[in-house]
Every structure is written in C-alpha cells, then in structure tokens.
Amino acid sequence: MAGIDYTERIPNNVVLHENRRLQRALEDWQPKFLEWWQDMGPNGFQAKEVYLRTAVSVDAQGWAKFGYVRMPDYRWGIFLAEPEVGRQVNFGDHKGQPAWQEVPGEYRGTLRRLIVTQGDTEPASVEQQRHLGRTCPSLYDLRNLFQVNVEEGRHLWAMVYLLDAHFGRDGREESEALLQRRSGDADKPRILGAFNEKTPDWLSFFMFCFFTDRDGKYQLASLAESGFDPLSQTCRFMLTEEAHHMFVGETGIMRIVQRACELQREHKTDELRKHGGIDLRTIQKYLNFHCSVSLDLFGSEISTNAANFYTAGLKGRFEETKRQDDHQLKDATYTVAELDGERIVTREEGALVSLNERLRDDYVADCARGVGRWNEVIRKHGIDFELKLPHRGFHRAIGIFADVRVSPDGRVISQAEWDARHGQWLPNDEDKAYIQSLMYPVTEPGKFANWIAPPARGINGQPVNFEYVRLG
Ligand SMILES: [Fe+2]
Ligand SMILES: [Fe+2]
C-alpha cells in the first residue's frame, strides 16, 4: 500500500487500474486540470526546471524524492495514508461502528459539501499566488513557493478523487466546478472569503502560509478523524505535505523579523523604510490582517452545522482520539465568547454547537507558539518589541464580532474610533505601496532581497546558494 505506482498515467497507491470507471473519470479530468494549471498556475515559470519534492511513498520515513521538474510535468496523483486495520467511527452517534468505506446515504449531501469546501481552497491559493514568482526575494524562496503551489494542486487531486470515487455524477460535476471558480472573481468566486483576498506581495504570502494554511491544517486534522475512512486516509497524507507549508510561513516571517532586527541595530533606528527593510510595526499590521481573515474561516462561534457534522461522525475535533471524554459531548459544555453590550465576556455553551470555537481555540494556541518563536528572535537582538496576535474579535466578518468594532487589544470601540485608527492596525495604502516597492526579483543563487535574511539551511541538505530554480 505504501508504495506509489508511477508507471500509470495517474500516479496512485489505490490500485486505480482495478476500478476502470473511476480511472476513466480521473483521466477525463486530468487534461482539464492541466489546462487550469497552465492558465492559473505560476505565471511565467511553467517551462523552468524547479527542484521539487515528489511523494514516492506514504510512509512516515522517506516519503519523498527531490529532483528538477518542470511544473506541468509534476506527477500529481492519488495518495492515501495507510489504512488502519479495524478502524472505527470514533465519535458521535455512530461511535464504535466500523469506519465507513462507502458514503452513508443519509450523509451524502453533507459530506459532499465538506469535501467541496475543503477542495475549493486548494486551487484558490494557487490562483492567489500566481504572480509572486516574478518578484521572488531569492531562488530558495521561489522554489518553496512552487513547492507549495504544486502540493496545493495535489490536494485538489485528493479531493477530486473522493468526489469521483464516491459521489457519482454529482461528484464529477463538482470536480469540474472546482476548476471553474476563480479566486477574487465577482461572478464565480471561490467559496470562502480569505481565498478571494489578494496575495500581492511576499510578506502577504508568508503570512498566508502561516495563518491561512494553518486553518487548512486544522480543517484537515478534523476531517482526518472522520468516520468516512477514505476521507480520513486522504487527509492524513495531505497533512504530511501541509507541514512544509507551515514551515515556509513561519520561517519566512522569522527571516523578515531577523532582518528587521539586524537593520534596526545597524542603523540605531526602528524607521527601516529608508534602509529598505520591513519594520516590526508593519509586520504587526500584516499579522493582524491575515490572522483576522483566517479566524473567520472557522465559522460562527455557535453552529448547528458543526454540531451535526460531529454527531454524524463526519468531522471530529482536533486530535479527537487523543482526548479523554465520551466523544459524544451531548452533556458537555464549552466556554465561548459573548458580547454583553460594550463588554466581551464568556459563557458556557453546549459543547456540540461550540465545536467551531473549540477548533479556533486550538488554532490560536498553535499560532501563538509560532509568534513566540518570532519574539524569541527579537529578544535575542535585545529589542524591546513584541509581536502579538490580535484579539479574536478584531476585524472579523463572521460570527458575533462581525457587528461590532474591536481593537487589537480587545476593546469594543466606536465606529469613529475605528475609522480614525484602523490604518494603524491594518496595512494602509502607504504600507501596501511601500511593501510593493520592495518587490523586485532576486534570482542569483545565494542572494537575498535586502528585507529578508537568508535561511539557516537549504532544502534537502542542499546549500543555501543551490540553484533551486533553473531560470537560464
Ligand atoms: Fe492544501
Ligand atoms: Fe497548504
């Protein structure tokens, strides 16, 4: 099971050739995917050789190989994690039943919606990032961008496999629609808000990988708990790939922070714009933006949908099986935020309807660990500045905070105060123009743009000055 068959037109570890109907459906979809990739994938680099990793097995050890590939030749395919023998539905009303290998009829519509919503984010991010290659801060970063992009393409394959294998004609129609929506398009936008935002520069890209891809990690982790076993196996392997996207985001921002600290000490000022750096206050504004739009992706604090997904055994909690409780939560409560006039307070709610908020809490804790590591860099430079996650009510468009204005430190404020101050909290036109002015390509191996420090080490044991993308 672990080995991936690369002799087939569609690489896979699901013995695809034994299911002719599915094989034909996917082979029919493949050229449409490639057409989408040519139209909407990385702009200007399709013919270049990129040092990419490709999955060769789904084992934890040594699952990938590295080599030069032109992106349209990347071997996208169907890779599922090893099945767990005797796996059961681990939560909800069906807890203790054998995990489902086929879609339970009563949950068909719900499950399809969950898969489509996850699937839609994958091509969306490729579309959002398609112009970034032209302004890469180094070949190392260019390669990492493309690695993320091809893997998001692979994640689309993962979801399309589930749709085609388990949802018949509806599934095939959804597979087509996933290639037809476009990020930011007024007429046929992607499904979720954050995936219609622009990713216009590399600071935004790294923030996106840190905050928005991390939402993906938490969604995938809850779907990996699903009682629908093919979804679980699919998501478990996607999480292996996703770890690199977290790495790109966290280390990208860390290197920008590092460079800011170096410039600040060198020039004895925190005004870094005349020295071509990105100051910590500007980094904080981008952090505020990307954190807040990503918090929206978890949905409303109170959600009967979330309760239903759980009770049905379709979507669990983060690390469901590691938790010590009854895994049904009918009598349990959970603490959620509430607005009491001008004050933000908490109250106890039913645990089932609070599952979105619980997942958001797990996510925020994970984000905070990363921000702590950035602050470690600042501390080591002896600089008195701390990056902070904004209050969860700040700049929200979904849930109870959508109707009020909240400052980053968690005060409910007037519209007038918001109007006067939001430009200090979120990137304003001047900030955006400045960041844009830094975006020009640095493509000599081993060279880096002035606003970002080189990484501590290269990819796959290669030196930092390795030719990660052959532009010649
Ligand atoms: Fe993904
Ligand atoms: Fe990702």
Side-chain angles (χ1 to χ4, degrees):
M1 179 72 187
I4 289 172
D5 185 350
Y6 272 98
T7 62
E8 303 245 351
R9 205 167 119 195
I10 298 171
N12 71 89
N13 69 348
V14 295
V15 230
L16 188 58
H17 63 263
E18 286 181 4
N19 185 340
R20 299 312 287 255
R21 190 199 58 76
L22 175 60
Q23 186 176 31
R24 267 199 306 276
L26 289 169
E27 286 183 355
D28 181 54
W29 187 80
Q30 189 177 37
K32 298 172 191 165
F33 168 83
L34 288 170
E35 201 177 303
W36 166 82
W37 179 268
Q38 288 288 356
D39 289 350
M40 297 311 295
N43 183 10
F45 294 89
Q46 302 277 6
K48 307 298 181 195
E49 293 185 320
V50 186
Y51 187 70
L52 292 176
R53 76 173 176 187
T54 306
V56 285
S57 101
V58 292
D59 286 344
Q61 300 84 19
W63 61 272
K65 73 172 173 32
F66 287 75
Y68 285 102
V69 182
R70 289 183 181 87
M71 284 183 278
D73 300 332
Y74 189 78
R75 301 301 312 276
W76 287 284
I78 312 297
F79 316 132
L80 272 58
E82 298 266 16
E84 242 175 71
V85 181
R87 185 164 180 271
Q88 297 182 338
V89 182
N90 293 313
F91 58 91
D93 283 350
H94 305 283
K95 183 171 176 285
Q97 295 175 10
W100 307 303
Q101 299 307 320
E102 295 298 331
V103 179
E106 54 187 317
Y107 301 140
R108 194 183 157 85
T110 313
L111 200 47
R112 191 183 62 210
R113 198 69 208 147
L114 275 171
I115 293 169
V116 167
T117 306
Q118 177 61 42
D120 193 65
T121 67
E122 315 290 357
S125 67
V126 174
E127 292 166 359
Q128 288 169 293
Q129 296 162 13
R130 67 183 302 255
H131 298 295
L132 289 174
R134 297 193 176 281
T135 57
C136 64
S138 73
L139 284 186
Y140 167 88
D141 291 294
L142 186 62
R143 177 261 167 217
N144 283 348
L145 166 71
F146 294 156
Q147 183 71 56
V148 170
N149 291 159
V150 295
E151 286 174 353
E152 299 305 4
R154 228 278 311 151
H155 290 176
L156 173 59
W157 271 90
M159 293 296 116
V160 163
Y161 161 72
L162 292 173
L163 290 168
D164 280 4
H166 296 280
F167 294 87
R169 180 207 286 256
D170 301 356
R172 289 195 296 282
E173 283 171 5
E174 294 284 12
S175 299
E176 306 264 314
L178 283 165
L179 295 175
Q180 282 155 11
R181 286 184 289 271
R182 290 285 182 273
S183 177
D185 188 301
D187 298 326
K188 38 175 188 164
R190 291 295 174 181
I191 296 169
L192 299 171
F195 293 89
N196 288 302
E197 298 282 351
K198 286 196 164 64
T199 310
D201 57 71
W202 281 76
L203 176 57
S204 301
F205 168 65
F206 291 128
M207 287 291 180
F208 183 97
C209 290
F210 184 85
F211 286 106
T212 308
D213 273 86
R214 191 176 311 274
D215 159 71
K217 168 184 160 182
Y218 278 78
Q219 300 302 335
L220 290 175
S222 343
L223 294 173
E225 302 287 345
S226 182
F228 178 49
D229 207 40
L231 177 60
S232 169
Q233 283 182 52
T234 303
C235 289
R236 273 190 281 137
F237 186 66
M238 290 166 78
L239 283 166
T240 318
E241 296 167 312
E242 204 60 51
H244 176 69
H245 310 179
M246 309 287 102
F247 164 85
V248 170
E250 182 174 327
T251 57
I253 298 298
M254 188 177 281
R255 290 161 49 214
I256 299 173
V257 168
Q258 161 90 21
R259 186 66 186 138
C261 294
E262 289 167 5
L263 287 168
Q264 191 165 334
R265 282 177 51 145
E266 185 182 330
H267 299 286
K268 304 198 170 30
T269 173
D270 56 6
E271 305 281 335
L272 300 185
R273 293 194 181 183
K274 52 182 178 288
H275 305 293
I278 304 178
D279 58 274
L280 296 170
R281 281 188 310 272
T282 303
I283 295 172
Q284 178 69 60
K285 289 182 177 188
Y286 278 76
L287 186 164
N288 290 345
F289 176 78
H290 288 272
C291 182
S292 58
V293 298
S294 302
L295 287 174
D296 273 339
L297 292 170
F298 291 84
S300 294
E301 290 79 6
I302 303 300
S303 162
T304 46
N305 271 345
N308 292 339
F309 296 158
Y310 187 86
T311 304
L314 302 178
K315 183 180 177 188
R317 287 171 293 176
F318 182 65
E319 299 191 327
E320 180 70 43
T321 47
K322 290 189 189 166
R323 302 195 186 225
Q324 304 293 332
D325 55 29
D326 69 358
H327 301 280
Q328 290 186 319
L329 308 180
K330 294 205 191 290
D331 306 316
T333 62
Y334 193 77
T335 309
V336 298
E338 185 181 40
L339 277 170
D340 175 15
E342 302 283 87
R343 293 189 319 133
I344 297 168
V345 295
T346 58
R347 73 158 196 276
E348 290 299 299
E349 247 303 342
L352 284 172
V353 290
S354 310
L355 284 165
N356 284 345
E357 189 66 355
R358 184 192 293 251
L359 192 60
R360 185 161 26 232
D361 284 339
D362 292 328
Y363 167 84
V364 169
D366 196 21
C367 290
R369 286 188 286 275
V371 174
R373 288 188 284 272
W374 299 337
N375 282 326
E376 195 56 37
V377 173
I378 303 175
R379 243 190 321 275
K380 279 194 184 133
H381 282 83
I383 291 169
D384 182 23
F385 188 97
E386 193 184 343
L387 291 166
K388 292 192 178 98
L389 292 176
H391 186 274
R392 72 179 60 210
F394 172 76
H395 188 234
R396 291 287 302 282
I398 287 176
I400 59 166
F401 296 111
D403 302 327
V404 289
R405 295 299 189 182
V406 177
S407 63
D409 58 3
R411 283 175 305 115
V412 178
I413 58 173
S414 65
Q415 182 66 36
E417 185 177 355
W418 173 267
D419 291 342
R421 299 189 63 188
H422 72 87
Q424 302 163 24
W425 297 328
L426 291 168
N428 58 34
D429 289 346
E430 204 183 316
D431 300 322
K432 290 178 192 169
Y434 175 68
I435 297 299
Q436 208 56 54
S437 78
L438 297 177
M439 297 297 128
Y440 57 89
V442 177
T443 55
E444 196 183 319
K447 290 277 189 292
F448 289 80
N450 183 51
W451 50 270
I452 188 166
R457 60 192 68 82
I459 291 292
N460 189 38
Q462 300 291 358
V464 169
N465 64 5
F466 185 70
E467 192 176 11
Y468 288 102
V469 184
R470 289 177 173 152
L471 295 177

